[in-house]
Amino acid sequence: MKSLYQHLSKFCRSAPVHITIIIICIIWTLPTFGLFISSLRPKNDLLNTGWWKVFQHPFDFTQYQIGNYIDVFSAEGMGQALLNSLTIAIPATVIPIAMATFAAYAFAWMKFPGRQVLFIIVVSLLVVPLQMTLIPVLRAYNQFGLAGSFLGIWLAHTGYGMPLGIYLLRNYIGSLPKDLIEAAAVDGASHLTTFTRLIVPLSLPAIASFAVFQFLWVWNDLLVALVYLGGTPEVAPLTMRLSSMIGSRGEAWQILTAGAFVTMIVPLIVFFALQRYFVRGILAGSVKG
């Protein structure tokens, strides 16, 4: 009886927190749920009534259709756009991960003049809006022939993602046991050996967390791709292809509702594949250091 009372008492104390979390989750996912319902409705229904009207007759399946998804998948150039998005997103994720991991190790464990000053400069770049760099970088790209090429947008995304990557990874790598690093040095391990054999395996949670952030940002990017690639069909990613499908005045915006879920497939696969590392890496990389 006493044990039952203790359990009830504990439940009553924690119930407000659980109820609050559930309410926040419902509010947070409500727009996505509404977007999904809208993607299954005909254009005329979307223009005349709100998505919540389907709950007046929720089991009337005649009000649902997959025509919007058919329009997205059957659109000309959609396969090329998907391939272009993968061509952009994968290198634009791998390159900054590699460079940021090397830089984070140097900032955390290598002694050189101006180390702290350089790290502060890197972290301060987090507050610089990328829109300020678009015109200067595009001018430089035009001079060197990088505008409209995949190499140009890889370099752009690498530069934009490096400050966050270095910040997260440096704090995580700096929190690793100092005795472990010193023991490797005593055994004669070089910095490269220590980095490849110790730092990288132990830093997988932080690396995976940054990989999720970088991939999601690059995959969903429209502004950077539009500026540096120019919008030609040969290099246009999914975001630009969907933008062109809905029209200059948004007259075919019902396609965007279905296109949003089509473009979510690959990011969801990446997130669920790395989600076991995500929380650990974010917490350690943001707090420690």
Side-chain angles (χ1 to χ4, degrees):
M1 190 67 180
K2 183 179 179 180
S3 177
L4 178 61
Y5 173 78
Q6 291 176 346
H7 284 295
L8 288 175
S9 177
K10 182 178 180 180
F11 174 78
C12 291
R13 290 195 303 267
S14 60
V17 177
H18 293 162
I19 294 174
T20 302
I21 293 175
I22 292 173
I23 293 174
I24 292 175
C25 291
I26 292 175
I27 295 175
W28 188 266
T29 57
L30 190 61
T32 303
F33 180 73
L35 186 67
F36 177 69
I37 295 296
S38 298
S39 70
L40 296 174
R41 305 183 71 207
K43 179 180 180 180
N44 291 333
D45 293 345
L46 284 174
L47 295 176
N48 296 324
T49 60
W51 61 268
W52 51 87
K53 294 294 183 180
V54 300
F55 294 107
Q56 292 180 349
H57 307 284
F59 299 105
D60 181 11
F61 295 103
T62 58
Q63 60 184 332
Y64 307 112
Q65 51 92 31
I66 59 173
N68 295 332
Y69 288 93
I70 294 175
D71 292 340
V72 170
F73 283 109
S74 61
E76 182 181 357
M78 185 57 65
Q80 182 64 41
L82 176 61
L83 181 60
N84 291 340
S85 289
L86 292 173
T87 303
I88 294 170
I90 294 176
T93 302
V94 174
I95 295 173
I97 285 176
M99 296 181 64
T101 307
F102 275 109
Y105 171 75
F107 282 124
W109 295 107
M110 296 179 67
K111 308 295 183 181
F112 56 89
R115 182 182 61 163
Q116 296 299 332
V117 175
L118 287 176
F119 181 70
I120 292 174
I121 294 174
V122 170
V123 173
S124 65
L125 293 176
L126 287 170
V127 301
V128 177
L130 67 86
Q131 291 84 354
M132 295 178 58
T133 68
L134 295 179
I135 294 178
V137 173
L138 184 59
R139 286 181 175 178
Y141 277 11
N142 289 328
Q143 292 178 357
F144 293 101
L146 294 175
S149 67
F150 289 127
L151 177 59
I153 198 167
W154 293 343
L155 295 177
H157 280 303
T158 298
Y160 295 142
M162 285 285 286
L164 177 62
I166 292 175
Y167 174 73
L168 289 176
L169 295 175
R170 186 266 182 187
N171 289 345
Y172 189 94
I173 293 174
S175 68
L176 297 177
K178 184 177 181 180
D179 295 341
L180 187 64
I181 309 299
E182 292 177 347
V186 170
D187 290 340
S190 63
H191 282 297
L192 182 60
T193 303
T194 302
F195 177 80
T196 55
R197 300 291 181 86
L198 291 178
I199 300 300
V200 172
L202 293 175
S203 303
L204 283 180
I207 293 174
S209 299
F210 175 57
V212 170
F213 274 123
Q214 182 71 6
F215 184 87
L216 292 181
W217 177 56
V218 175
W219 182 267
N220 294 318
D221 169 69
L222 174 62
L223 176 62
V224 176
L226 184 63
V227 172
Y228 296 138
L229 292 179
T232 57
E234 293 76 13
V235 294
L238 274 174
T239 51
M240 294 175 61
R241 185 69 189 92
L242 290 173
S243 177
S244 63
M245 287 176 60
I246 65 174
S248 59
R249 298 184 179 181
E251 59 269 17
W253 68 271
Q254 76 280 358
I255 298 178
L256 190 60
T257 59
F261 282 91
V262 172
T263 57
M264 284 169 58
I265 296 175
V266 174
L268 284 176
I269 294 174
V270 173
F271 178 79
F272 285 117
L274 300 177
Q275 57 98 15
R276 61 174 179 167
Y277 299 111
F278 186 71
V279 175
R280 282 190 296 161
I282 288 298
L283 291 178
S286 315
V287 178
K288 295 182 180 179

